[in-house]
Amino acid sequence: MEDKKRQKLQEEEKVEKAKALRMMLLRIGAIVIIGMVVIFLFFDSSTFGKFGKAVVVVTALCMIYGVVARYLSYSVDRRMWKGNPYHNFFFRGTAVLTMVLTLLGVVGAFFVYVEHDNLFQAVGLVTSIIWIGAFLMYFMWAVYHYNINYGITDEDWDKIYKAQGRFKRGLPVRESELEAPRQNPYRSQTFGLPPGTVRGMIAFTLLIGGMSLLIVSFGTEYSGAELALVRQQFEFFETAFLMMIAFYFGDKSLRYLKDRWVDPNRRAGDNSARAKQSPEGSPTLQYVEEPLDEVYMDNKELFKEEVKYALTHDIPPPSPAANPLASASFLTFAGAPAETEFVQIRDNTHEKVLSDEFIKDTLEELRTKQNIHLSLPVVKAIVAVESAGRGHLADGRPKILFEGHKFWFWLQQFGKDPQALRKEFPHIIYEKWTKEFYFGGASEYQRLETAKSIDYKAAIYATSWGLFQILGENLENNIKGRNYRDASDFEEKQHESEEYHFLDFLEFIKTKKVRGKALIYYVSEINGGNYDWEAFAYGYNGSGYKANQYDVKLRTAYQKFSRELARSATGWIPIIDAGHGGIVDGRYVTPGKQYKFNDGTVIYEGVVNRAIGKLLAEMLTRAGIPYLQTTLETEADISLTERVSIANNFFRNNQSCYLLSIHSNAASDSSEGNGNKASGFEIYTSIGLTKSDELAGIAAKWYKKLFPEFPFRETKTDGGEYRNKEASFVVLTKTICPAFLVENLFYDNPDEAKFLLSPMGQQRIAACLFEIVKEIYATVKL
């Protein structure tokens, strides 16, 4: 049905455009005919002939311009640019100005031809004017495209806006559809345009100017002072054009040729390049930054400032790919001096740094797929204590700590005699743990490389790696599930990204057991925020954790990150409203909201709603997120009017709360039987677009994500989009706060009733509501 409507609208639009085009052509034809009649009938006299004809031609051209402009305006008005106020200024305004210039050029050329009877002068003038118009159009487009649109088209922005709209409504959206540039990649250049654009436009202008002058000269005989002036003009255009070409292409061509030719006798200390011996003994060219022009250096400094800002404000750094001038000076073929800023920029470019988003996504996957609950502040606390927040050194290598006592153990396992080797290598081979031989920082690699020369695998096993300082020996047990091919593969991945460090850490704490339980248990959210940092530190760091106060450091770091997370929240808090009543004196108090199946199963909606609401309240308490409630502390069936009154009083005292009404659905005509087949989740808001719809959009997103096995029931709009359902429920229309109501499956569907009655089903729904409340609390603006 929707396709037929869309097809009909497209056909109607085509008909309208065809009518408009025919009308434009008829009007132009009428203007031309009327103009010709006026010229032949009224301007035959020699006195007014030329002037009168010129007036008629100019008038006709103005009228034709008006008709064409009206037609173009008709077409443009039907294009959607999200109300961009600059679009008409840059495009329609420029188009009008260009058409006026072109019109003046044609009229001027006409007068030149009539007065001087010289076709070449007229053509030369028209050529110059047309180029000025084309120059203006391109220049305005380029300024708009890069400075306002940040290098993508209006159509691309339109797609991004639509994707963001779908995302807000909870519809599935690919991450790539939401990606939008944040700034002009060429903002440090002239007019914010790509390097060479302005120079190229000037060069072409000089070329067109010279060509116009050449055309004019064909039909004119010059002598004396006129000839000298023309020659001077030719020389100006020739010299200026050649200088622009040399300036635009000369430097690049010389560099290209220079890079292709390498003097085989060049010494390693030469200013333009270095040579270093490869393992095979052949010289390998290394890139060395050469003197660059002022624009290049300005752009490079701007890029450095942006990277520094990104690193200090915990935001994604700019990509060198988006700033080619800045990035080129950081790329090297065989290494970079330690004092340069290359490494940190390269780390971010290749995504070495573990982002909060990756942690959140991974923890979310753990919750949904493995029912493992771990919070972001816990992970960040462990990172801060184990590696001071970064898993790589300034030169790009992973942070390591070589343990000589572990090397001793693994040498024995691999058939070598550590006692005999100790005399020659006392700083890397010793039987008991000690700090005495630690070099620290990058110097630990000296110890590791020495150990590798003795036994590669034992050396890797004896080293703690990366962001979470996981010992390589865990390849044999606690991170065996990561499926590394061998020790070499493990070492290689540690160099690549902190994401590998994080995934290794999760595998480790899920597998490593202390006191009969996996380490992850001691820091899991199932303990309601009561973490056992001592047990975790003991299992993670060994019996020496007390000496280093690892448990104290972990607890302090966790409290710090928890406070930061709380400060970043906006403060939107839920009023939990569990629909209908519970069990009072052994009797269900809302008999109309129950179903008895023929197999004997009985489900009371109000009891299920309260169970889910109470589980949600417990989760919020553990997470430190405040909430209010209307029905959780009583089993009585509080009336709709009273529940609305409670919610409204809450909102009058605190206008940062919203009503979350918890229900489950039914479709049967009676309250007993075999049930029905209606299935799925629903979310309702009041009629019309309000703040409630924004909150409901977040809820819809989480239901779809966490319950892929159940349908999510939505309303399809006339535009083919999906959105939450609307209804005039009392709790939605009479509340003065934002409010939305969730229908958790159909309690009269036999399969869904079993899910609702099961502790696992209630836990999953409560966990989904927890994610909804948490996101609203942390992200939605008041």
Side-chain angles (χ1 to χ4, degrees), residues 365-409:
E365 189 174 346
L366 278 177
R367 279 193 293 270
T368 56
K369 293 185 177 180
Q370 301 182 39
N371 198 28
I372 294 175
H373 297 261
L374 204 62
S375 73
L376 179 64
V378 165
V379 174
K380 296 188 78 168
I382 297 168
V383 170
V385 172
E386 289 297 324
S387 57
R390 280 290 177 262
H392 290 87
L393 299 168
D395 59 9
R397 294 177 295 177
K399 289 182 178 179
I400 64 168
L401 183 62
F402 182 82
E403 301 286 7
H405 69 294
K406 290 290 183 181
F407 192 46
W408 178 292
F409 172 80

Side-chain angles (χ1 to χ4, degrees), residues 159-174:
K159 291 177 182 177
I160 292 170
Y161 292 142
K162 288 180 179 177
Q164 290 174 347
R166 295 198 306 273
F167 180 76
K168 288 180 180 179
R169 293 193 299 275
L171 298 176
V173 178
R174 291 192 300 272

Side-chain angles (χ1 to χ4, degrees), residues 741-755:
L741 181 148
V742 295
E743 294 278 15
N744 293 311
L745 304 176
F746 283 74
Y747 67 81
D748 58 351
N749 178 310
D751 294 328
E752 294 187 350
K754 291 177 183 177
F755 184 88

Side-chain angles (χ1 to χ4, degrees), residues 507-526:
E507 184 67 22
F508 178 82
I509 63 174
K510 285 191 297 181
T511 308
K512 176 69 179 292
K513 289 188 175 182
V514 171
R515 300 169 188 168
K517 295 179 180 178
L519 276 181
I520 198 169
Y521 168 80
Y522 299 106
V523 291
S524 171
E525 297 307 298
I526 63 173

Side-chain angles (χ1 to χ4, degrees), residues 169-375:
R169 293 193 299 275
L171 298 176
V173 178
R174 291 192 300 272
E175 187 175 348
S176 59
E177 293 182 272
L178 299 173
E179 292 178 355
R182 298 182 179 181
Q183 57 198 5
N184 178 6
Y186 303 107
R187 61 201 174 284
S188 69
Q189 303 302 301
T190 307
F191 294 113
L193 303 181
T197 302
V198 176
R199 296 198 298 268
M201 292 166 68
I202 294 174
F204 275 107
T205 300
L206 293 170
L207 176 62
I208 297 297
M211 290 176 61
S212 299
L213 184 62
L214 180 64
I215 293 171
V216 170
S217 69
F218 287 154
T220 309
E221 294 181 359
Y222 296 105
S223 61
E226 291 180 343
L227 181 60
L229 179 61
V230 172
R231 284 177 176 172
Q232 186 178 9
Q233 290 174 344
F234 268 120
E235 287 177 0
F236 165 75
F237 279 107
E238 178 187 16
T239 305
F241 178 70
L242 290 176
M243 288 178 65
M244 285 301 301
I245 292 298
F247 180 62
Y248 188 63
F249 293 108
D251 182 56
K252 289 185 177 180
S253 62
L254 289 174
R255 286 191 189 183
Y256 174 74
L257 293 173
K258 176 173 173 292
D259 287 341
R260 282 179 61 86
W261 172 252
V262 179
D263 184 353
N265 297 316
R266 180 177 291 169
R267 294 174 299 177
D270 192 77
N271 290 333
S272 56
R274 295 192 191 98
K276 106 175 181 182
Q277 295 296 319
S278 67
E280 292 77 14
S282 58
T284 303
L285 182 65
Q286 264 190 319
Y287 176 81
V288 176
E289 190 173 346
E290 300 176 3
L292 304 169
D293 60 48
E294 187 175 349
V295 173
Y296 191 105
M297 297 303 296
D298 288 345
N299 204 47
K300 173 185 170 183
E301 292 304 316
L302 178 63
F303 184 69
K304 288 181 179 180
E305 291 175 8
E306 290 175 349
V307 171
K308 185 177 180 181
Y309 180 86
L311 293 175
T312 55
H313 289 75
D314 196 25
I315 62 174
S319 169
N323 195 338
L325 289 181
S327 62
S329 62
F330 296 104
L331 298 179
T332 178
F333 300 115
E339 65 273 10
T340 68
E341 297 183 29
F342 158 71
V343 172
Q344 188 57 57
I345 293 168
R346 186 187 66 183
D347 288 352
N348 286 284
T349 301
H350 294 283
E351 298 180 347
K352 282 196 170 186
V353 177
L354 178 67
S355 67
D356 282 0
E357 288 306 313
F358 183 83
I359 297 175
K360 291 175 184 176
D361 290 343
T362 307
L363 296 182
E364 193 176 297
E365 189 174 346
L366 278 177
R367 279 193 293 270
T368 56
K369 293 185 177 180
Q370 301 182 39
N371 198 28
I372 294 175
H373 297 261
L374 204 62
S375 73

Side-chain angles (χ1 to χ4, degrees), residues 515-551:
R515 300 169 188 168
K517 295 179 180 178
L519 276 181
I520 198 169
Y521 168 80
Y522 299 106
V523 291
S524 171
E525 297 307 298
I526 63 173
N527 297 311
N530 298 316
Y531 310 113
D532 190 341
W533 292 113
E534 291 189 1
F536 182 84
Y538 172 73
Y540 201 87
N541 302 104
S543 56
Y545 80 95
K546 278 289 185 185
N548 294 303
Q549 293 189 310
Y550 279 126
D551 55 330

Side-chain angles (χ1 to χ4, degrees), residues 37 45 51 105 130-131 146 176 272 282 287 290 322 390 454 459 475 480 556 608 637 664 679 682 704 720:
V37 171
S45 66
F51 178 76
I130 290 176
W131 170 253
Y146 289 103
S176 59
S272 56
S282 58
Y287 176 81
E290 300 176 3
R390 280 290 177 262
I454 300 171
L475 285 167
K480 202 170 185 178
T556 303
V608 172
D637 187 0
S664 53
S679 175
E682 290 179 333
K704 292 174 186 177

